[in-house]
Amino acid sequence: MTDWALAAGGGDREAADRFVRATYEDVRRFVAYLSADVPGADDLAQETYLRAMSGLARFAGRSCARTWLLSIARRVVIDRHRTAAVRPRTADTADWQGAAERAQPRHVPGFDESVAVFDALRRLDPARRQAFVLTQVLGLSYDEAADVAGCPVGTVRSRVARARRELAGQWRAEPGEGVAVAAGSAAP
């Protein structure tokens, strides 16, 4: 993957295509979990690749290309949150949240479980959620996750352990079949 990124930085279009194809799903899942915005994940992933492709010529390969790319994705999500925080929110209806919930598909397999997992992850501290998603969902090593998060490896280990405890506590505290299924699907 790093070789493709380096070749793409040198102008090899085929290497750039391979690099994007090999990393797209990981980037998309990462931004979806980190931002808790599944519908907007494709937009965030595209923004990540726009930034990455413009900086690919400067990528020196001192770290794994995947780690470099996920660091860019993390900054994209942070920038999106900052932008959203300063924009006023408008809706055509007084019950905008109810309208949004009614517009969601209800009979898609796994919908309830996905909602339970996203709700549980959304309740986590953002740093813990990031460490958990990087290591347990995307499968990065603790060293790679530390590079992406810009913190020591021990901090990542601690955040993942605390996230696991919090998630387990949430699922034990909440009755319901969907939560039990979600707990099984989110465990590493």
Side-chain angles (χ1 to χ4, degrees):
M1 209 176 304
T2 300
D3 291 339
W4 289 334
L6 290 169
D12 185 340
R13 289 181 184 229
E14 186 177 327
D17 185 54
R18 286 183 179 168
F19 176 67
V20 171
R21 289 179 192 271
T23 57
Y24 185 80
E25 280 307 311
D26 282 347
V27 169
R28 187 183 177 289
R29 282 188 307 186
F30 179 60
V31 297
Y33 280 109
L34 197 58
S35 68
D37 180 15
V38 176
D42 285 321
D43 291 340
L44 291 167
Q46 287 178 9
E47 176 65 25
T48 299
Y49 283 102
L50 284 173
R51 291 185 190 185
M53 291 302 159
S54 68
L56 208 48
R58 294 184 306 276
F59 175 66
R62 288 186 298 269
S63 66
C64 173
R66 184 177 184 207
T67 302
W68 173 76
L69 185 62
L70 291 176
S71 295
I72 294 170
R74 177 178 168 263
R75 287 190 295 275
V76 166
V77 172
I78 289 169
D79 290 348
R80 179 69 57 99
H81 281 293
R82 287 179 182 154
T83 301
V86 297
R87 284 191 184 155
R89 296 190 178 142
T90 61
D92 292 339
T93 178
D95 184 22
W96 63 269
Q97 190 170 12
E101 288 172 2
R102 286 188 297 277
Q104 297 298 316
R106 296 287 182 204
H107 302 292
V108 177
F111 176 77
D112 291 336
E113 291 83 5
S114 296
V115 169
V117 170
F118 278 111
D119 283 346
L121 287 171
R122 196 174 298 127
R123 290 184 203 130
L124 291 175
D125 170 76
R128 290 180 188 163
R129 178 175 56 233
Q130 177 189 30
F132 184 84
V133 169
L134 286 171
T135 59
Q136 307 305 303
V137 177
L138 297 180
L140 266 64
S141 70
Y142 285 101
D143 288 332
E144 291 171 325
D147 285 344
V148 170
C151 65
V153 174
T155 302
V156 171
R157 290 183 190 279
S158 173
R159 288 174 180 171
V160 170
R162 288 182 178 148
R164 285 180 179 161
R165 274 195 304 272
E166 287 178 29
L167 290 171
Q170 286 180 37
W171 287 321
R172 274 189 229 114
E174 296 177 10
E177 184 179 322
V179 173
V181 172
S185 65

